[in-house]
Amino acid sequence: MDSWQRTKKVIPSGVQTYSKMPEMYTQVYPKYINRARGCYIYSNNKEYIDYTCALGAITLGYHFEPIDTEVRKQLDKGILYSLPSFKETLLAEKLCSIIPCAEQVRFLKTGSESVSAAIKIAKAYTSKSHIAYCGYHGWHEHENMHKFNYNSMDSLIDLFHKYRLACVILEPYIHEEPKDNFLQDIITLTHKHKAVVIFDEIVTGFRTPKFSAQAYFGITPDLATFGKGMANGYPMACLVGKKEYMQLLEHKCFVSSTFGGDLVGITASLATIDYMQEYKVLEHIWNMGTHLAGWFDIINRELWLSNHSQGYPCHPHFWFPSIDHTSLFWQECLKGKVFFGHALFPNYSHTPQIVGNTIDVMDTALKVVKQYWNNPLAKLKGKPAKEGIRYAYSNSAR
């Protein structure tokens, strides 16, 4: 029995999160990663430049010493106590100082938990049960969920006509930019109907300039969720919001977690945010993403191909006309030691030289894609990758 058979025997699908399934990539991709550092991952003694960055959880770089040093210091003092640590207060104060809607904070461990907590508060506040959503908001199931389309106020208005909505939850952006005051109009409409606005910033938070999409766009929701990059890979998430809503946690809405006060994640978050503020990390990520996506577009124009980049520089997406074309591009890039996936997240450890090397690899790969444009499967080893789960929730999906 080989390693992967052993894994699948004891772990459903062989993974802990859907996006890491081998089927999400192509046959030439490795199934395991042995170690990682900076923006590099290693498998079977092979080194790859990684742009998936643990699905967006890595903002500074793998095994980033300034953060790991602070975590090791905390390990010597213990990581979970029988009463709170004042570090919880320090992080909550820090979040309230940089996130517009944050007046109070509740710490959790995953994005799905924080979203569930936000929805629970909204239901308790409004005494209503229906939810309008746009985008991907984790694996927890909620009843009475109704989808509306990004940049389409008509689709949301229609839901307000049909249902008594407790809240509207959305990712502030995925691949499209908000148009025609879309985000502000959502807040105006939702408050008119006495419902709650929740921004899911699990992906946009701590990657967008000013640390959040709400600060970047100047639009303040009632509640917001954060996770992934806020602790540079250490498990951490939070729910923040205006006191009017968050105070329900004191008497009307029960959200409690033994590991909410885990000091590994809290210490890592404090260190990560401090480092980001001191070294202009988000500016660097934005610049590297701009350079990467810009050259992807330039190469495709030079080759007379329709492929193009979408989204903001901190989370670019490479559009191809089919998943077959995407898969062939990934396969050829992997030959050049560049690891791409459905989600791209430049991090602080991607230097201009590393991005330049990536651009050279993309140029070679796109020439192969052009050569096999009419039949990419003829060059592809094995089956094409599956579509990413997030893009099934996005209006920008192919």
Side-chain angles (χ1 to χ4, degrees), residues 151-338:
N151 275 330
S152 172
M153 284 302 299
D154 288 342
S155 64
L156 181 57
I157 291 170
D158 183 57
L159 293 182
F160 271 110
H161 286 160
K162 291 179 179 178
Y163 307 104
R164 295 182 69 248
L165 296 177
C167 63
V168 174
I169 182 169
L170 75 157
E171 295 179 273
Y173 66 82
I174 305 173
H175 299 314
E176 298 179 62
E177 296 182 20
K179 299 175 182 176
D180 302 323
N181 296 314
F182 176 64
L183 296 177
Q184 184 58 60
D185 287 349
I186 281 180
I187 290 177
T188 302
L189 175 67
T190 304
H191 286 172
K192 176 183 176 182
H193 288 270
K194 301 187 185 306
V196 178
V197 179
I198 304 167
F199 277 7
D200 180 345
E201 297 225 44
I202 302 300
V203 171
T204 58
F206 300 94
R207 283 195 170 276
T208 310
K210 299 183 179 181
F211 297 98
S212 66
Q214 58 190 270
Y216 181 70
F217 293 128
I219 306 293
T220 304
D222 302 313
L223 299 169
T225 62
F226 292 85
K228 286 190 183 286
M230 70 182 292
N232 194 48
Y234 288 95
M236 188 67 198
C238 68
L239 165 64
V240 306
K242 298 174 182 176
K243 186 175 181 180
E244 176 183 357
Y245 306 97
M246 295 293 290
Q247 66 183 1
L248 268 69
L249 294 173
E250 296 182 4
H251 58 87
K252 192 177 180 180
C253 182
F254 186 70
V255 175
S256 182
S257 172
T258 297
F259 293 102
D262 156 51
L263 293 172
V264 170
I266 288 169
T267 298
S269 290
L270 281 166
T272 297
I273 296 169
D274 285 346
Y275 193 94
M276 285 182 166
Q277 290 178 314
E278 183 174 356
Y279 292 99
K280 298 182 179 180
V281 168
L282 296 178
E283 180 180 331
H284 176 86
I285 289 174
W286 199 265
N287 289 339
M288 293 304 97
T290 298
H291 196 53
L292 184 72
W295 272 99
F296 180 82
D297 290 338
I298 289 171
I299 295 168
N300 278 289
R301 285 196 297 269
E302 290 178 345
L303 293 173
W304 295 88
L305 297 176
S306 60
N307 317 315
H308 60 272
S309 65
Q310 295 176 321
Y312 288 91
C314 58
H315 181 31
H317 174 64
F318 293 161
W319 182 91
F320 288 84
S322 76
I323 192 63
D324 297 350
H325 292 86
T326 301
S327 299
L328 180 56
F329 174 70
W330 290 355
Q331 172 184 281
E332 297 306 302
C333 284
L334 197 74
K335 292 179 181 178
K337 308 304 181 187
V338 172

Side-chain angles (χ1 to χ4, degrees), residues 39-53:
C39 62
Y40 291 98
I41 55 175
Y42 300 85
S43 178
N44 297 325
N45 297 318
K46 293 182 180 179
E47 178 185 81
Y48 303 95
I49 303 171
D50 178 33
Y51 285 93
T52 61
C53 293

Side-chain angles (χ1 to χ4, degrees), residues 45-210:
N45 297 318
K46 293 182 180 179
E47 178 185 81
Y48 303 95
I49 303 171
D50 178 33
Y51 285 93
T52 61
C53 293
L55 308 180
I58 303 298
T59 41
L60 298 174
Y62 294 104
H63 189 22
F64 199 76
E65 193 57 41
I67 311 306
D68 292 353
T69 296
E70 294 303 312
V71 171
R72 283 193 290 267
K73 291 178 183 178
Q74 185 60 53
L75 289 174
D76 289 338
K77 302 175 184 178
I79 60 174
L80 196 65
Y81 306 147
S82 298
L83 292 172
S85 162
F86 193 69
K87 270 194 173 181
E88 297 171 46
T89 301
L90 295 176
L91 179 55
E93 288 177 340
K94 173 75 73 172
L95 294 171
C96 288
S97 73
I98 61 176
I99 299 171
C101 79
E103 295 176 359
Q104 291 189 326
V105 182
R106 175 56 54 89
F107 298 125
L108 298 145
K109 299 314 295 178
T110 69
S112 292
E113 286 179 281
S114 59
V115 166
S116 292
I119 290 173
K120 188 171 184 179
I121 289 175
K123 288 181 175 180
Y125 183 85
T126 62
S127 298
K128 294 184 284 188
S129 61
H130 288 267
I131 304 158
Y133 76 95
C134 175
Y136 171 71
H137 305 294
W139 63 268
H140 290 177
E141 290 189 5
H142 300 278
E143 296 180 355
N144 302 323
M145 297 282 288
H146 312 285
K147 181 180 179 180
F148 68 99
N149 298 322
Y150 195 80
N151 275 330
S152 172
M153 284 302 299
D154 288 342
S155 64
L156 181 57
I157 291 170
D158 183 57
L159 293 182
F160 271 110
H161 286 160
K162 291 179 179 178
Y163 307 104
R164 295 182 69 248
L165 296 177
C167 63
V168 174
I169 182 169
L170 75 157
E171 295 179 273
Y173 66 82
I174 305 173
H175 299 314
E176 298 179 62
E177 296 182 20
K179 299 175 182 176
D180 302 323
N181 296 314
F182 176 64
L183 296 177
Q184 184 58 60
D185 287 349
I186 281 180
I187 290 177
T188 302
L189 175 67
T190 304
H191 286 172
K192 176 183 176 182
H193 288 270
K194 301 187 185 306
V196 178
V197 179
I198 304 167
F199 277 7
D200 180 345
E201 297 225 44
I202 302 300
V203 171
T204 58
F206 300 94
R207 283 195 170 276
T208 310
K210 299 183 179 181

